Amino acid sequence: MPNSDDKRRIAETFLLGLRTRNWTLLRTIMTDDIIWTLPGQSRISGEARGVDAVIERAQIIVSYGLTFNLNHILEGLGGLALSLHNTAERQGHALDEHLATVCQLREDRISSIDTYLSDVDMVNAFFV
């Protein structure tokens, strides 16, 4: 079971990988069979299965110019959650979203990500 320092490192690495578009770095903290779920009917919604699909989703998300603001890293017994506030503007659409990204860990790597959104309709309209 990862300790608190390991969980914080994984969370910080996840955000750093997104912010810097370092896909190789993200791969180092994910299992090959990772699953990422995200609600809604947008371009990024649904279930991404496998590290390649998860990286592809991350690439789409950052291509929309999001700013990722970390509120808190929350620690659980077998994982962690990131409390985030994401913002962006693109083609007349604004994104101002509060979310929780819940990560389950296996052998010090993220094996699943479940994203919970404060406004699914806003995400649907933004990620078209």
Side-chain angles (χ1 to χ4, degrees), residues 1-13:
M1 193 69 52
N3 64 35
S4 292
D5 290 341
D6 292 336
K7 290 174 186 172
R8 177 162 289 282
R9 177 191 53 77
I10 292 166
E12 290 171 350
T13 301

Side-chain angles (χ1 to χ4, degrees), residues 46-107:
E47 191 173 85
R49 290 184 160 271
V51 70
D52 291 335
V54 167
I55 296 294
E56 183 179 328
R57 175 176 285 169
Q59 290 170 333
I60 292 168
I61 290 170
V62 300
S63 76
Y64 279 70
L66 270 67
T67 299
F68 303 96
N69 298 298
L70 176 65
N71 295 327
H72 301 284
I73 297 173
L74 308 167
E75 185 176 335
L77 182 62
L80 59 100
L82 301 172
S83 171
L84 300 170
H85 179 211
N86 295 346
T87 57
E89 283 192 37
R90 183 175 183 272
Q91 298 178 348
H93 291 283
L95 181 74
D96 187 356
E97 183 71 22
H98 296 272
L99 63 136
T101 299
V102 180
C103 303
Q104 292 300 312
L105 303 177
R106 184 174 70 231
E107 299 174 7

